[in-house]
């Protein structure tokens, strides 16, 4: 079996001095206000200069402060720490592999005590960010959230260019629709989720399609999948669409597919130690649906690793 030790991992106390800096009641009230304000803006199809200034201020505050609901952020920091400082593979190791992990603030803070289920691109980025953050937990939080904030700015530029390329009304309003979205502000900027990076790469893929730069559509999607596996569900319909676009230039599509496969292989190659590196992802599926076919097959039959890997592909599509 690829993953047999899920019972040895546990959820520790997620409360830390950092994630209590904003009172939960205040944070919840802010989220409610944001949602109602956003609804008014979308409904009226316009927003004032004052509203923009207020929302920009709120965005800056969320980017700087520590959310009381943020737990995954500390997990990202710990996984980066395991790589940058201890030289461990986060697909196969947890903080338990470090003898005195309780004395390392970057390892003892996270709520989750499990191997990584994210893509190799995000793990590589988290390793670099952890190196930049050094030994301080506060510095690491700042570095990670600053990186995600920069991606948010890049996303606004991409949304503008996509709207301009497709002639979708007023591009600046589309930027506002994205940038002022409470789910983006609270969930991605406030809580510091790596979905921001996934979104950036997906928007790059969409921009490549909108600008008719079809060669880069699949490579950008491949990078997005290597950040987090969920976007793989977009690959089949996107490939079908690209086949129609490349009827007269099939070689370009083949080359694009080859580049995409090459980048995925190289990124996974850094962490490759057999199919067992996909164990955490498969374990996540099991935790969400113990009655699933995948759970039944992998727990009641001793399947070869290659078969479990194929089942993993089915899970990734069905998971979403």
């Amino acid at each position: 079996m690829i993953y047999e030790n899920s019972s040895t991992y546990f959820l520790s106390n997620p409360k830390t001095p950092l994630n209590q800096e904003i009172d939960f009641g205040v944070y919840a009230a802010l989220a409610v206000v944001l949602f109602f304000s956003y609804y008014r803006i979308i409904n009226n199809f316009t927003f004032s200069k004052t509203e923009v200034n207020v929302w920009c201020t709120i965005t800056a505050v969320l980017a700087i402060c520590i959310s009381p609901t943020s737990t995954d952020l500390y997990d990202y920091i710990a996984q980066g720490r395991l790589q940058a400082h201890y030289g461990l593979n986060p697909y196969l190791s947890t903080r338990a592999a470090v003898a005195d992990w309780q004395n390392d603030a970057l390892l003892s803070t996270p709520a989750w005590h499990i191997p990584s289920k994210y893509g190799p691109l995000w793990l590589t980025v988290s390793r670099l960010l952890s190196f930049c953050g050094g030994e301080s937990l506060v510095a690491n939080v700042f570095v990670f959230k600053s990186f995600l904030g920069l991606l948010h700015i890049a996303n606004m530029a991409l949304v503008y260019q996509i709207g301009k390329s497709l002639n979708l009304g007023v591009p600046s309003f589309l930027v506002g629709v994205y940038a002022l979205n409470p789910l983006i502000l609270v969930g991605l900027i406030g809580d510091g989720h790596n979905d921001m990076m996934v979104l950036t790469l997906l928007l790059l893929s969409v921009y490549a399609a909108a600008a008719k730069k079809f060669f880069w559509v699949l490579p950008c999607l491949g990078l997005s999948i290597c950040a987090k596996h969920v976007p793989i569900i977009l690959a089949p319909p996107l490939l079908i669409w690209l086949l129609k676009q490349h009827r007269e230039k099939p070689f370009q599509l083949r080359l694009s597919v080859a580049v995409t496969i090459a980048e995925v292989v190289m990124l996974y190659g850094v962490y490759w130690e057999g199919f067992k590196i996909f164990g955490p992802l498969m374990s996540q599926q099991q935790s969400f649906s113990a009655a699933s076919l995948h759970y039944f097959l992998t727990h009641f039959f001793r399947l070869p690793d290659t078969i479990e890997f194929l089942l993993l592909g089915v899970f990734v599509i069905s998971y979403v």
Side-chain angles (χ1 to χ4, degrees), residues 110-250:
W112 303 105
H113 190 45
I114 57 177
S116 177
K117 55 187 177 295
Y118 301 111
L121 178 59
W122 172 252
L123 291 182
T124 300
V125 169
S126 65
R127 178 175 57 193
L128 296 174
L129 295 178
S130 178
F131 178 81
C132 294
E135 303 292 323
S136 169
L137 178 60
V138 174
N140 271 269
V141 170
F142 176 79
V143 169
F144 272 77
K145 294 197 72 175
S146 296
F147 173 72
L148 296 175
L150 291 174
L151 291 181
H152 180 58
I153 295 174
N155 290 349
M156 289 191 286
L158 286 169
V159 169
Y160 182 87
Q161 291 299 327
I162 291 171
K164 188 176 179 181
S165 298
L166 297 178
N167 297 317
L168 299 177
V170 183
S172 58
F173 180 77
L174 297 177
V175 173
V177 170
Y178 161 77
L180 306 182
N181 189 322
L183 294 176
I184 300 292
L185 294 179
V186 176
L188 303 190
I189 295 179
D191 285 355
H193 276 114
N194 61 1
D195 297 276
M196 184 69 80
M197 183 176 177
V198 178
L199 186 57
T200 301
L201 296 168
L202 281 177
L203 286 173
L204 274 172
S205 183
V206 173
Y207 171 67
K212 300 187 184 303
K213 300 177 181 180
F214 301 123
F215 177 85
W216 298 105
V217 173
L218 286 179
C220 291
L221 178 64
L223 290 176
S224 181
I225 295 170
C226 285
K228 204 168 185 177
H229 301 95
V230 173
I232 196 173
I233 63 173
L234 300 176
L238 198 57
L239 186 58
I240 294 173
W241 180 77
L242 286 172
L243 284 170
K244 296 181 180 179
Q245 305 299 320
H246 285 83
R247 286 177 179 175
E248 298 180 359
K249 299 180 179 180

Side-chain angles (χ1 to χ4, degrees), residues 27-303:
Y27 194 74
L30 176 62
V32 171
V33 171
L34 288 176
F35 272 100
F36 278 104
S37 300
Y38 186 71
Y39 174 78
R40 193 204 69 79
I41 290 174
I42 299 301
N43 191 48
N44 294 337
F45 202 72
T46 185
F47 43 84
S48 66
K49 184 178 180 180
T50 301
E51 288 175 324
V52 172
N53 291 334
V54 170
W55 282 66
C56 287
T57 302
I58 293 174
T59 303
V61 171
L62 289 173
I64 296 173
C65 294
I66 308 302
S67 161
T69 61
S70 180
T71 55
D72 286 354
L73 178 62
Y74 303 111
D75 189 37
Y76 307 152
I77 293 172
Q79 290 169 6
R81 177 72 167 176
L82 285 175
Q83 300 174 78
H85 188 74
Y86 297 101
L88 296 174
N89 187 337
Y91 283 125
L92 304 176
S93 304
T94 68
R95 60 189 178 189
V98 179
D100 59 342
W101 65 267
Q102 296 91 339
N103 297 320
D104 188 329
L106 276 66
L107 296 182
S108 60
T109 300
W112 303 105
H113 190 45
I114 57 177
S116 177
K117 55 187 177 295
Y118 301 111
L121 178 59
W122 172 252
L123 291 182
T124 300
V125 169
S126 65
R127 178 175 57 193
L128 296 174
L129 295 178
S130 178
F131 178 81
C132 294
E135 303 292 323
S136 169
L137 178 60
V138 174
N140 271 269
V141 170
F142 176 79
V143 169
F144 272 77
K145 294 197 72 175
S146 296
F147 173 72
L148 296 175
L150 291 174
L151 291 181
H152 180 58
I153 295 174
N155 290 349
M156 289 191 286
L158 286 169
V159 169
Y160 182 87
Q161 291 299 327
I162 291 171
K164 188 176 179 181
S165 298
L166 297 178
N167 297 317
L168 299 177
V170 183
S172 58
F173 180 77
L174 297 177
V175 173
V177 170
Y178 161 77
L180 306 182
N181 189 322
L183 294 176
I184 300 292
L185 294 179
V186 176
L188 303 190
I189 295 179
D191 285 355
H193 276 114
N194 61 1
D195 297 276
M196 184 69 80
M197 183 176 177
V198 178
L199 186 57
T200 301
L201 296 168
L202 281 177
L203 286 173
L204 274 172
S205 183
V206 173
Y207 171 67
K212 300 187 184 303
K213 300 177 181 180
F214 301 123
F215 177 85
W216 298 105
V217 173
L218 286 179
C220 291
L221 178 64
L223 290 176
S224 181
I225 295 170
C226 285
K228 204 168 185 177
H229 301 95
V230 173
I232 196 173
I233 63 173
L234 300 176
L238 198 57
L239 186 58
I240 294 173
W241 180 77
L242 286 172
L243 284 170
K244 296 181 180 179
Q245 305 299 320
H246 285 83
R247 286 177 179 175
E248 298 180 359
K249 299 180 179 180
F251 175 76
Q252 188 180 49
L253 179 59
R254 295 193 193 102
L255 185 59
S256 179
V257 171
V259 170
T260 304
I261 294 174
E263 67 185 16
V264 171
V265 170
M266 285 190 295
L267 287 168
Y268 270 108
V270 176
Y271 301 94
W272 188 259
E273 294 186 37
F275 290 107
K276 59 186 177 181
I277 68 170
F278 296 103
L281 184 62
M282 299 181 71
S283 178
Q284 182 188 40
Q285 183 268 346
Q286 295 163 8
S287 66
F288 277 95
S289 179
S292 67
L293 178 61
H294 175 272
Y295 182 90
F296 175 80
L297 291 175
T298 56
H299 277 70
F300 290 91
F301 298 97
R302 302 292 295 185
L303 299 176

